[in-house]
C-alpha cells in the first residue's frame, strides 16, 4: 500500500511570512513543536514536546533535504511508531491573489508504519488538520 497525505491551506500573508513559521524555531513553537535551532538546509532537526514534569522530550526528528526559501521545503520525518524509518514531508508555497497557498505532501507513511499504516494515516491526517489550523491562527496573529 502506498498513499500520501495532502493538505492545502490559504493564508492572508506573504510567502516569506508563512515560510518563517515553517523554519524559525521560535515560530515553530507557536503552532507545531519547539525546536532548539532554526531549520537549515542539510541539517538534522529535533522538535520537542513537554512531558508532565515539564521535561523536553523529542517528538519528531529528521533532516532538511531541500530548502528553497520561500517556496519549497523538504524534510524527513521520524516519530516513535516509525522506529528508524523515515517519511518525507514537502511544503510548497505559492503566491495566490494577495496571499499564499501552502500545499503539504506527507509520503512514505505506509512503508514506515507497516501493519499499523491505517492507524498512522488516520492519526497523522487528523494531526495535520490540527497543526495547520494552529499555523493559520499563528500567522494571522503575528
Amino acid at each position: 500500500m502506498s498513499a500520501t497525505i495532502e493538505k492545502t491551506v490559504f493564508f492572508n500573508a506573504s510567502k516569506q511570512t508563512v515560510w518563517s513559521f515553517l523554519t524559525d524555531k521560535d515560530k515553530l513553537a507557536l503552532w507545531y513543536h519547539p525546536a532548539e535551532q532554526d531549520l537549515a538546509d542539510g541539517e538534522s532537526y529535533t522538535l520537542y514536546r513537554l512531558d508532565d514534569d515539564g521535561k523536553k522530550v523529542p517528538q519528531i526528528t529528521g533532516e532538511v533535504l531541500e530548502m528553497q526559501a520561500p517556496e519549497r521545503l523538504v524534510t524527513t520525518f521520524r516519530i516513535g511508531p516509525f522506529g528508524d524509518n523515515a517519511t518525507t514531508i514537502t511544503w510548497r508555497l505559492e503566491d495566490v491573489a494577495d496571499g499564499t497557498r501552502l500545499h503539504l505532501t506527507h509520503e512514505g507513511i505506509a512503508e514506515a508504519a507497516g501493519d499499523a499504516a491505517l492507524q498512522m494515516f488516520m492519526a497523522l491526517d487528523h494531526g495535520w488538520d490540527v497543526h495547520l489550523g494552529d499555523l493559520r491562527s499563528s500567522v494571522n496573529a503575528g
Side-chain angles (χ1 to χ4, degrees), residues 54-74:
K55 180 181 172 193
K56 287 186 350 182
V57 177
Q59 179 75 12
I60 300 165
T61 61
E63 293 80 34
V64 178
L65 302 177
E66 184 180 338
M67 197 174 222
Q68 297 174 7
E71 296 174 348
R72 183 175 164 88
L73 175 65
V74 182

Side-chain angles (χ1 to χ4, degrees), residues 21-73:
F21 279 86
L22 300 178
T23 59
D24 178 279
K25 67 181 177 84
D26 296 324
K27 291 181 179 177
L28 280 165
L30 296 174
W31 68 274
Y32 196 29
H33 295 285
E36 292 193 348
Q37 61 190 32
D38 294 347
L39 270 59
D41 197 14
E43 298 290 325
S44 297
Y45 70 90
T46 301
L47 303 179
Y48 296 90
R49 66 176 173 79
L50 297 179
D51 70 10
D52 294 337
D53 297 329
K55 180 181 172 193
K56 287 186 350 182
V57 177
Q59 179 75 12
I60 300 165
T61 61
E63 293 80 34
V64 178
L65 302 177
E66 184 180 338
M67 197 174 222
Q68 297 174 7
E71 296 174 348
R72 183 175 164 88
L73 175 65

